[in-house]
Amino acid sequence: MKVFKKIFRFLIIVLLLIGVTVFFIGKSLEPKYSGELKNLDLKDAVTVFYDENGVPHINAQNEEDAFKVFGYVHAQDRLWQMELFRRLAAGRLSEMFGKDLIRTDKFFSGLGIEEASKKTIENLDKTSKAYKLTEAYLEGVNSFMEHGKTPLEFYLLGIEKEKYTLKDMYNVFGYMAFSFAAAHKTDPLLNEINEKYGEAYVKELGITPKGSTFIKNAKNPIIKAQLSAEINKIMNHLPVPTLMGSNAWVVGPKKTKDGKVIFSNDPHIRFFQPAIWYQNHIKTPTYEMYGFNLALTPFPLLGHNRNYAYGMTMFENDDVDFYVEKNNPNNELEYKTPEGYNAYEVLEKRIKVKDEKDSIYKIKVSKHGPIMNDILEQIEDDRPIAMKWIYTHLPNKLLDICYEMSHANSLEEFKKGVAKIHAPGLNIMYGDAKDNIAWFAAAKLYEYRDSVNTKLYLEGSTGKDEITCFYDFDDNPQAINPDWGYVYSANNQPDSIRGKLYPGYYLPEDRAKRITSLLEVKDDFTTEDMAEMLYDVKSLVATGLIKENSSLIDVAKLNESEKKAYEFLVNWDGDYKKESIGATVYTRFVYEFLKNTFEDEMGKKGFLQMIDGTPFYRKMIALQMNKSESVWWDNVVTKEVKEDKKNIINTSFKNAVSFLNNQLGSKVDNWEWKRVMTVTHQHAIGQAGGILGKIFNVGPFETHGGGEVINNHIFNIDSTGVYKTTAGPSSRRVIDFADVENSIAIIPTGQSGNRFSEFYKDQAEKYLNGGYVKMKLNQEEIEKSEYKLMFLPKE
């Protein structure tokens, strides 16, 4: 007994020592939110007040000092995130994580982002205000790198610190632009279907349904498969967030209770920890902005002040095309053009690998872009396939654009900045205190000859499949102060321009239909109404599909469990609430419907690629289910039987109920949505699971949301029947110009990426429950903050 007591005491002492050690390590690495610092070359003292949510409110006498301090405090909370972002586009993740990331590094280093960044920087105006403030920001980031506390992740992975440069910043822009694109996930799969089954099958996948909800244009006066699969594998396993979708709407004064503009926005981005946006408030005698910034970027992509607010969603236009080149049969380093054979540009790339020899590869680049076969070795296609991406082909002005958007003095000035966006395609939303509202589909749009289908591979050697013209920005889809009183975007198809619909990878109308249905019925909107809308989980499209197709189910042939599930399905109100049973039945039914419709032609790998790697499968749910006749209904495997829509519907429903019985038990009343839907905000190191997951990850949580509803929770709809949310609203913001000082927002976890900060995950529960925090602008209120950090000029 004495031996056991001694062992017990020993274990208690060990645990106490571990606890004390962890406590002191945490205290030594936690951010500094109070006190004084003299690490920066400042003209005047700068004060930073940290509010109760960890948002820094920076008060400076001039902008250069403000941006130096912003760089410092941004790095203090997000240096690890900055390190991940700069390494990704440059193909340098293997230096941190080892050989498992070589394929990812090879892919991104071969896209031409680094080369485009270098070219852009060479042509920058070094005398511009945007450039000077960017250099000031980088000075602040590097000052923290030198003088601040090293993040825990740097110690765990043995990362050596390197100064950040302008090229690192442009590489972040490049990654952002590529993650917004959709063609690389979709075009190769569609091309394979076309080559295997013909044009009829592809045509049915690409048709825009009649009666879709389009974003309307208006200009009123201003009141001042394999390739796809390989790319998808890489994109789905990145240690940083990918940008995916969004909602936004701006309501004009005639539709609000207080007669002023109300702005709402919630960009949809892959969930990771730390969250994608860093909130900050900068104030000088000549400038003020409350912004949401990406890692390593000085100017916010989302922001507001007392005069105007702006935000964004993805445009989803087509800005990536694939060309099949023809090599010279006598020299594989040359490719055919209308003028003869041109030599490929051959680049040698070196990837440094942790604890391994460097990985070296060569990539050929044609006039269209990099040959994807060289960076994705798993491609079995012998044809050289080049990827043309507008982002790397046209001059890049993103730094100036972000500066001009955040420093505009009027809608006219704001529009001039937005008009310079070439890629990625963005829906830029705007509202101001002078009662203006606006939406701009911002991208450099272009045309091919009429017969070209840009969703298939193009011919690279003839010159016939080249861009014929670029649009002027005034031809882009847009609406300024429309008569109907609001503007919105939910990544859906914009209305016609130049007499036709512009091609893209637009998402289904579900969210758009719900948003417009809510905006049309009221003329007295308040901040509370908008906050509630952003948390809405009702799908009008889903209930419409059930109403139109449930009559095809042969109820007389259903067993008791199937009849019970049928009742829940047909009586479902379309709400994806935690307690919903109809949502569970419907979602499994949709998976079975898609599987029974497409898998026989596409094969298991092709079908998995469609539902896991391409966004257009979501659009196909309503498109296909609304058809009475389709080439896809017949199962090509069953030669002796020709299936029709009724066969597919009945088989899918029975399969769904059978699966749910096995997964959740025979009692249908217990098939609640919360049993199959969860969310975890994973950290790059926490993805390893175990103790690291417990330390760094945030979650798992039950969640309130569903696919293609306003509170959009994006998940893979696959055979498992477990829906782990991978993406959703990266922030929710509501700015009411009738009471701008009480504007509200929320982010999924917390402000800080430092594990030892009290702001690491303090917003997580509030976010899940539809709560908000105030975006403070009132100086008197800000100065009551508990934390005050003074930056003093060097003596």
Side-chain angles (χ1 to χ4, degrees):
M1 190 70 178
K2 290 182 178 180
V3 174
F4 285 116
K5 286 184 178 180
K6 287 181 179 180
I7 293 173
F8 180 73
R9 287 172 184 165
F10 174 75
L11 290 174
I12 292 294
I13 292 170
V14 169
L15 290 173
L16 285 172
L17 287 173
I18 292 173
V20 170
T21 301
V22 170
F23 174 79
F24 280 106
I25 290 174
K27 295 300 287 184
S28 69
L29 296 181
E30 69 181 7
K32 182 181 179 68
Y33 295 134
S34 295
E36 293 184 354
L37 292 171
K38 296 182 179 181
N39 298 331
L40 294 168
D41 288 317
L42 301 174
K43 297 174 184 176
D44 300 289
V46 178
T47 306
V48 181
F49 297 98
Y50 283 92
D51 67 23
E52 62 270 26
N53 303 300
V55 177
H57 297 263
I58 300 168
N59 289 257
Q61 294 305 306
N62 62 83
E63 281 193 65
E64 284 197 30
D65 282 355
F67 276 83
K68 287 177 184 179
V69 170
F70 174 50
Y72 191 98
V73 300
H74 195 180
Q76 177 175 239
D77 277 319
R78 298 294 184 94
L79 188 65
W80 162 246
Q81 188 181 52
M82 292 178 177
E83 192 69 18
L84 278 177
F85 269 65
R86 79 155 160 188
R87 286 176 177 269
L88 176 60
R92 297 185 57 200
L93 291 176
S94 299
E95 292 180 39
M96 293 195 298
F97 297 109
K99 61 183 180 181
D100 289 344
L101 272 296
I102 289 177
R103 186 173 68 164
T104 300
D105 283 344
K106 187 175 180 180
F107 176 72
F108 276 98
S109 65
L111 291 177
I113 293 173
E114 279 235 296
E115 289 79 6
S117 297
K118 182 180 178 182
K119 185 177 180 180
T120 296
I121 293 167
E122 289 173 352
N123 295 313
L124 286 177
D125 178 2
K126 309 298 191 296
T127 65
S128 71
K129 189 73 176 292
Y131 182 87
K132 290 178 179 178
L133 293 182
T134 300
E135 287 293 302
Y137 170 83
L138 286 171
E139 183 182 326
V141 171
N142 287 323
S143 178
F144 177 80
M145 175 83 84
E146 182 179 355
H147 301 291
K149 298 174 182 178
T150 303
L152 177 61
E153 293 91 339
F154 279 62
Y155 290 114
L156 293 176
L157 295 175
I159 300 170
E160 293 186 10
K161 293 181 179 179
E162 301 173 18
K163 284 193 172 183
Y164 288 89
T165 67
L166 198 55
K167 189 172 79 167
D168 294 323
M169 188 180 297
Y170 267 95
N171 285 346
V172 172
F173 284 141
Y175 167 68
M176 177 192 75
F178 188 77
S179 72
F180 269 45
H184 57 276
K185 302 175 183 178
T186 305
D187 286 6
L189 176 64
L190 293 175
N191 192 78
E192 192 172 335
I193 294 170
N194 183 64
E195 291 181 352
K196 188 173 182 180
Y197 289 103
E199 185 180 347
Y201 282 81
V202 174
K203 187 177 180 180
E204 287 202 12
L205 295 176
I207 295 173
T208 301
K210 292 181 180 179
S212 286
T213 305
F214 296 125
I215 308 176
K216 294 186 286 186
N217 297 312
K219 296 180 183 178
N220 285 347
I222 297 171
I223 314 172
K224 301 269 152 189
Q226 185 189 34
L227 175 56
S228 297
E230 293 306 319
I231 294 175
N232 190 57
K233 285 177 186 176
I234 291 169
M235 298 299 289
N236 275 354
H237 293 89
L238 294 177
V240 297
T242 49
L243 296 88
M244 309 184 79
S246 309
N247 302 309
W249 55 88
V250 191
V251 178
K254 71 179 184 180
K255 289 187 70 65
T256 63
K257 183 176 181 179
D258 293 324
K260 298 301 290 183
V261 168
I262 304 180
F263 180 100
S264 305
N265 188 200
D266 67 335
H268 302 158
I269 296 176
R270 197 173 186 89
F271 287 141
F272 265 91
Q273 178 62 3
I276 187 75
W277 301 113
Y278 185 71
Q279 295 181 69
N280 61 94
H281 175 209
I282 296 176
K283 185 177 181 180
T284 75
T286 59
Y287 173 74
E288 183 174 20
M289 183 58 64
Y290 191 111
F292 288 66
N293 290 56
L294 293 175
L296 205 60
T297 59
F299 310 120
L301 289 177
L302 320 174
H304 80 281
N305 54 30
R306 297 174 188 278
N307 301 318
Y308 71 104
Y310 64 96
M312 67 175 189
T313 76
M314 287 173 62
F315 182 6
E316 304 284 1
N317 59 301
D318 188 357
D319 60 7
V320 173
D321 294 301
F322 291 91
Y323 284 83
V324 177
E325 307 289 13
K326 288 186 178 179
N327 283 348
N328 184 341
N330 299 315
N331 184 355
E332 64 177 14
L333 296 180
E334 294 183 341
Y335 64 99
K336 188 177 181 181
T337 75
E339 293 78 31
Y341 288 105
N342 283 0
Y344 285 111
E345 180 183 5
V346 180
L347 304 176
E348 182 174 282
K349 298 279 188 173
R350 180 182 294 269
I351 297 170
K352 294 185 179 297
V353 185
K354 185 176 183 179
D355 301 328
E356 301 277 347
K357 292 182 179 179
D358 293 355
S359 176
I360 302 171
Y361 77 97
K362 291 182 179 181
I363 178 171
K364 297 188 293 294
V365 182
S366 75
K367 67 176 184 178
H368 297 114
I371 302 301
M372 301 304 288
N373 314 59
D374 292 342
I375 58 177
L376 293 171
E377 296 173 350
Q378 296 80 7
I379 298 175
E380 297 173 359
D381 201 320
D382 293 330
R383 299 170 297 178
I385 302 169
M387 188 183 80
K388 183 173 183 176
W389 179 24
I390 287 296
Y391 179 82
T392 58
H393 277 254
L394 296 178
N396 187 336
K397 299 179 181 178
L398 280 175
L399 194 65
D400 289 333
I401 292 162
C402 293
Y403 170 81
E404 290 175 30
M405 286 170 58
S406 62
H407 286 71
N409 292 306
S410 64
L411 175 51
E412 292 98 331
E413 284 189 16
F414 186 83
K415 181 181 177 182
K416 286 178 182 178
V418 170
K420 297 176 183 178
I421 295 174
H422 75 298
L426 300 171
N427 288 302
I428 302 295
M429 315 301 293
Y430 176 94
D432 66 30
K434 295 180 179 178
D435 299 340
N436 291 297
I437 62 174
W439 152 68
F440 304 103
K444 196 62 178 175
L445 304 185
Y446 51 90
E447 281 188 7
Y448 291 95
R449 59 188 173 90
D450 289 342
S451 59
V452 170
N453 185 344
T454 58
K455 292 184 173 63
L456 305 179
Y457 288 170
L458 305 180
E459 176 56 60
S461 62
T462 64
K464 294 180 180 179
D465 290 351
E466 304 298 331
I467 293 171
T468 58
C469 71
F470 286 96
Y471 290 8
D472 291 329
F473 182 73
D474 283 339
D475 289 334
N476 282 28
Q478 55 192 278
I480 299 173
N481 296 324
D483 295 336
W484 49 90
Y486 64 87
V487 292
Y488 84 98
S489 169
N491 316 119
N492 53 315
Q493 171 82 59
D495 212 340
S496 301
I497 55 173
R498 290 193 171 192
K500 59 185 176 183
L501 297 174
Y502 193 81
Y505 299 88
Y506 307 104
L507 296 183
E509 66 170 339
D510 304 44
R511 287 180 285 120
K513 192 169 186 176
R514 179 60 173 164
I515 290 168
T516 55
S517 73
L518 292 171
L519 293 179
E520 287 288 346
V521 297
K522 278 172 65 73
D523 293 322
D524 59 350
F525 282 103
T526 64
T527 294
E528 292 73 25
D529 292 329
M530 296 309 181
E532 187 177 337
M533 269 187 70
L534 286 168
Y535 198 56
D536 185 89
V537 293
K538 184 183 285 290
S539 173
L540 301 180
V541 171
T543 53
L545 291 175
I546 293 167
K547 182 179 180 180
E548 291 298 318
N549 292 282
S550 59
S551 60
L552 295 175
I553 297 175
D554 195 339
V555 180
K557 294 182 179 180
L558 302 181
N559 60 35
E560 289 306 311
S561 180
E562 291 166 346
K563 287 180 180 177
K564 184 84 171 179
Y566 177 83
E567 289 301 314
F568 275 112
L569 181 65
V570 296
N571 291 314
W572 180 45
D573 61 2
D575 269 334
Y576 284 85
K577 294 177 180 176
K578 294 179 184 179
E579 300 76 21
S580 174
I581 295 168
T584 308
V585 177
Y586 174 75
T587 304
R588 186 64 199 186
F589 167 67
V590 165
Y591 168 76
E592 297 290 348
F593 172 81
L594 292 172
K595 181 175 182 289
N596 288 320
T597 301
F598 297 112
E599 190 182 66
D600 54 306
E601 287 90 356
M602 294 183 177
K604 289 184 178 180
K605 287 185 177 179
F607 174 68
L608 181 62
Q609 169 56 22
M610 183 185 82
I611 62 171
D612 186 30
T614 65
F616 85 91
Y617 89 84
R618 295 177 226 163
K619 198 170 184 177
M620 288 307 304
I621 296 169
L623 176 59
Q624 190 66 21
M625 206 174 285
N626 281 328
K627 293 176 182 174
S628 56
E629 302 294 331
S630 171
V631 294
W632 290 95
W633 293 139
D634 184 36
N635 188 329
V636 297
V637 177
T638 57
K639 303 294 184 183
E640 69 283 355
V641 180
K642 185 174 182 179
E643 289 80 7
D644 58 14
K645 180 178 180 178
K646 186 171 183 177
N647 296 133
I648 298 293
I649 292 288
N650 278 275
T651 300
S652 300
F653 180 74
K654 283 180 170 289
N655 288 352
V657 176
S658 175
F659 178 89
L660 292 171
N661 266 307
N662 292 326
Q663 180 191 23
L664 303 176
S666 59
K667 193 171 182 181
V668 179
D669 301 78
N670 290 338
W671 293 357
E672 293 180 319
W673 184 235
K674 64 184 178 183
R675 293 183 64 189
V676 296
M677 181 77 162
T678 63
V679 61
T680 299
H681 305 277
Q682 289 194 326
H683 186 282
I685 292 178
Q687 288 181 351
I691 187 65
L692 292 175
K694 293 183 182 299
I695 292 172
F696 289 104
N697 294 344
V698 179
F701 301 107
E702 293 179 357
T703 186
H704 169 93
E708 290 303 325
V709 293
I710 296 177
N711 187 25
N712 194 16
H713 280 48
I714 300 166
F715 51 83
N716 291 334
I717 180 169
D718 56 27
S719 61
T720 66
V722 177
Y723 311 118
K724 294 181 179 180
T725 303
T726 57
S730 57
S731 66
R732 301 187 186 105
R733 296 189 301 146
V734 181
I735 297 101
D736 184 349
F737 284 99
D739 188 16
V740 72
E741 289 188 352
N742 285 305
S743 297
I744 55 176
I746 195 75
I747 56 176
T749 53
Q751 264 286 94
S752 183
N754 186 313
R755 185 59 187 87
F756 300 106
S757 170
E758 64 185 278
F759 305 118
Y760 185 74
K761 57 178 179 179
D762 58 308
Q763 295 186 48
E765 293 282 357
K766 188 171 288 187
Y767 170 89
L768 289 165
N769 294 324
Y772 291 85
V773 300
K774 186 187 292 188
M775 295 187 285
K776 294 182 179 180
L777 290 180
N778 182 284
Q779 190 64 25
E780 183 178 348
E781 187 178 11
I782 289 167
E783 290 182 5
K784 293 178 182 178
S785 300
E786 177 183 353
Y787 298 116
K788 178 181 177 181
L789 183 61
M790 289 290 297
F791 287 82
L792 303 176
K794 289 182 179 180
E795 296 176 353

